[in-house]
Amino acid sequence: MRPQDLIEKKRDGGELTSGEIAWLIRGYTADEIPDYQMAAWLMAGFLNGLSDAETQTLVEEMLHSGVVLEHNHISEPKVDKHSTGGVGDKTSLVIAPAAAVCGVAVPMISGRALAHTGGTLDKLEAIPGFRTNLSLEEFRDVLKRCGLALIGQTKEIAPADRKLYALRDLTATVPFPPFICASIMSKKLAEGIDGLVLDVKSGNGAFMKDADNARRLAGMLAGIGRRMGKQVVALITDMNQPLGRWVGNAVETFEAIETLKGNLKGDFAELCLELAAQMLLVSGVETDHSVAIERIRNSITSGQALERFRMVIEAQGGNPRVIDDPKLLPQGRIMKNILSDRSGYVSAIETDEIGRIVMDWGGGRRRLEDTIDYGVGLYIHAKIGDRILMGDPLVTAYYNDESKFDAMKDRVRCAYSVSPAEPLPLPLIKEIL
Ligand code: URA
């Protein structure tokens, strides 16, 4: 077999056999197939589609590209949560310690920023010293001691996704359900979990822009998990504006810490409570939804979830003092408001553009080898439905590169739609499947 034959087959609309997909994924993971040929195959697949059988084989091959963990040393049910990607979504940092306090073990494998969306690993690595590249032994040990462990794909676990994730990001082949399913489910199934909560984002800051496509993606993801014997619940949640108040790496970590300190107001906290409660329900440690919500709320208001987060930061080499002293997190040197040039109601926000603004100001990578300016971030003053006057701040920007300010100011203003009529409120949690 030659890679170009499989590229040609997909280019011409053919369906690859499971043997051909296996050969491609194994060859790419072993560095025998170069990026340029894999990129061509990804684009051919993106444009011509993958059948259900091809998607299922892709998931299985990517899953078995590395080890599939078992945690026989841990008696608690193993449950995780994964989001399909959004802007301002730092829920993992709150719900993993909160759920762990309530008696589930959370062996979480996350990703980096993808396209305009932020990545949990980048937010964690904003904490000085925090290591997301634990060895298998370290991962197991941290999970046992803390009830949660937070890492990325490694050469041992989900190595195919480790490479393909970065390649898709650079080749505009991210927003395609079969690839999203293979990426997410190969990581999650490798974690050795019993149950999974999926947060499928829908809206202009998500990869699925409308509810129908989000619902289809949720059905595909949940179907793959259930066929593999896992308990899965999928939520469809709104991503037509940044989640919470902060967008950027260190600032989102700060917002997660504030939430763990008991600041439970607003959409971000609402989603954290719901997702973490669903983790308790999926695991079977709780059967009643309102009791599950109360247990999660209590894990936060009692300070236990914060202490668990402190513990895992320390266990993974990070500086736990960031919890008490947020100044230890990187912060942009310059802070400036970007003001509205109109009065009215905020009726829409181009959420993907907000994500790109943070990225282009240094808060994300253009290429894999780029370093991130963790201190870049935006505080979102104006959310959808807010009434604002000309001169009111839309956002406060924290950054280091002043040369980009004027261009970014224009981009932020263009990303906001302000209209005379008050818009209808957007429900945050649209469906639970
Ligand atoms: N999250 C992932 O892990 N992979 C994707 O492709 C999208 C979101």
Side-chain angles (χ1 to χ4, degrees):
M1 241 183 277
R2 299 180 314 160
Q4 53 268 50
D5 299 330
L6 303 187
I7 297 168
E8 185 180 305
K9 189 167 180 184
K10 210 11 97 191
R11 182 200 67 194
D12 296 342
E15 180 173 0
L16 268 61
T17 65
S18 52
E20 286 168 336
I21 292 179
W23 185 83
L24 197 63
I25 296 302
R26 286 173 203 181
Y28 183 60
T29 309
D31 294 329
E32 287 157 6
I33 295 176
D35 280 347
Y36 58 84
Q37 284 184 308
M38 197 63 203
W41 186 83
L42 288 175
M43 187 54 84
F46 186 97
L47 295 174
N48 288 328
L50 258 60
S51 68
D52 290 350
E54 286 177 306
T55 305
Q56 183 66 32
T57 308
L58 191 61
V59 175
E60 284 169 23
E61 280 306 319
M62 287 174 62
L63 164 63
H64 293 293
S65 65
V67 292
V68 178
L69 296 175
E70 282 179 13
H71 305 286
N72 299 330
H73 63 310
I74 292 173
S75 55
E76 288 84 5
K78 272 67 72 181
V79 176
D80 194 8
K81 181 273 337 178
H82 199 87
S83 144
T84 56
V87 176
D89 182 2
K90 63 291 265 170
T91 55
S92 294
L93 278 58
V94 173
I95 67 179
V101 165
C102 296
V104 304
V106 188
M108 187 178 275
I109 303 177
S110 303
R112 297 195 178 282
L114 195 58
H116 62 276
T117 69
T120 299
L121 299 181
D122 300 323
K123 292 165 205 181
L124 289 167
E125 287 176 1
I127 299 171
F130 196 100
R131 289 175 53 225
T132 59
N133 61 349
L134 303 183
S135 68
L136 265 184
E137 209 175 312
E138 289 171 317
F139 183 57
R140 286 201 180 97
D141 174 56
V142 174
L143 182 63
K144 174 82 186 154
R145 283 193 289 130
C146 303
L148 71 156
L150 311 160
I151 61 165
Q153 315 94 319
T154 69
K155 288 196 168 156
E156 294 160 304
I157 315 174
D161 185 53
R162 183 165 177 259
K163 290 190 75 185
L164 283 166
Y165 195 89
L167 189 64
R168 285 167 57 221
D169 195 23
L170 300 177
T171 55
T173 51
V174 172
F176 177 55
F179 293 164
I180 295 176
C181 284
S183 167
I184 293 179
M185 296 311 287
S186 66
K187 284 193 283 290
K188 300 290 112 175
L189 296 168
E191 291 172 345
I193 45 170
D194 307 304
L196 178 62
V197 175
L198 292 160
D199 180 7
V200 180
K201 305 285 189 192
S202 148
N204 61 13
F207 294 126
M208 299 298 113
K209 304 294 179 201
D210 60 65
D212 282 349
N213 281 316
R215 207 174 291 117
R216 257 193 295 278
L217 176 61
M220 284 173 75
L221 288 161
I224 292 166
R226 288 176 188 146
R227 281 196 292 281
M228 304 290 264
K230 310 297 174 193
Q231 295 293 324
V232 184
V233 64
L235 284 74
I236 306 208
T237 70
D238 185 66
M239 189 28 74
N240 282 299
Q241 60 181 330
L243 184 63
R245 289 285 172 183
W246 290 96
V247 182
N249 290 300
V251 291
E252 288 191 42
T253 303
F254 165 73
E255 188 172 17
I257 292 170
E258 287 301 298
T259 305
L260 285 167
K261 285 182 177 169
N263 182 358
L264 293 177
K265 287 199 286 289
D267 57 351
F268 172 59
E270 181 188 342
L271 189 57
C272 287
L273 293 177
E274 183 62 43
L275 291 170
Q278 291 292 342
M279 289 171 78
L280 302 192
L281 297 173
V282 150
S283 70
V285 304
E286 198 48 73
T287 49
D288 183 278
H289 180 262
S290 43
V291 177
I293 294 270
E294 275 324 297
R295 281 188 67 182
I296 293 296
R297 187 190 299 280
N298 191 41
S299 77
I300 295 174
T301 53
S302 66
Q304 290 178 82
L306 183 70
E307 286 318 304
R308 200 60 77 93
F309 192 48
R310 188 195 302 273
M311 194 174 166
V312 81
I313 291 175
E314 194 155 20
Q316 297 199 207
N319 183 354
R321 287 172 48 235
V322 294
I323 298 235
D324 310 305
D325 185 0
K327 288 203 192 64
L328 294 172
L329 289 167
Q331 189 184 323
R333 232 174 348 100
I334 312 168
M335 181 189 101
K336 257 190 213 171
N337 286 333
I338 297 180
L339 308 179
S340 176
D341 51 6
R342 286 153 291 168
S343 297
Y345 289 95
V346 177
S347 54
I349 302 174
E350 279 174 43
T351 314
D352 49 358
E353 175 66 350
I354 297 290
R356 279 191 295 268
I357 289 166
V358 171
M359 190 177 94
D360 292 346
W361 223 336
R365 297 179 192 79
R366 298 190 152 272
R367 300 168 61 92
L368 201 58
E369 54 278 14
D370 287 351
T371 52
I372 287 187
D373 185 344
Y374 291 106
V376 170
L378 301 178
Y379 179 82
I380 309 290
H381 290 277
K383 301 233 331 172
I384 292 181
D386 288 350
R387 174 141 173 72
I388 51 168
L389 297 175
M390 192 164 78
D392 281 351
L394 296 171
V395 305
T396 301
Y398 294 77
Y399 58 96
N400 292 308
D401 186 350
E402 181 64 19
S403 71
K404 292 192 172 155
F405 180 77
D406 286 340
M408 296 301 178
K409 179 184 71 187
D410 292 345
R411 286 175 64 180
V412 168
R413 283 184 176 159
C414 285
Y416 271 82
S417 298
V418 178
S419 60
E422 188 174 2
L424 291 173
L426 293 172
L428 176 62
I429 297 162
K430 300 181 181 190
E431 265 173 72
I432 301 185
L433 307 170

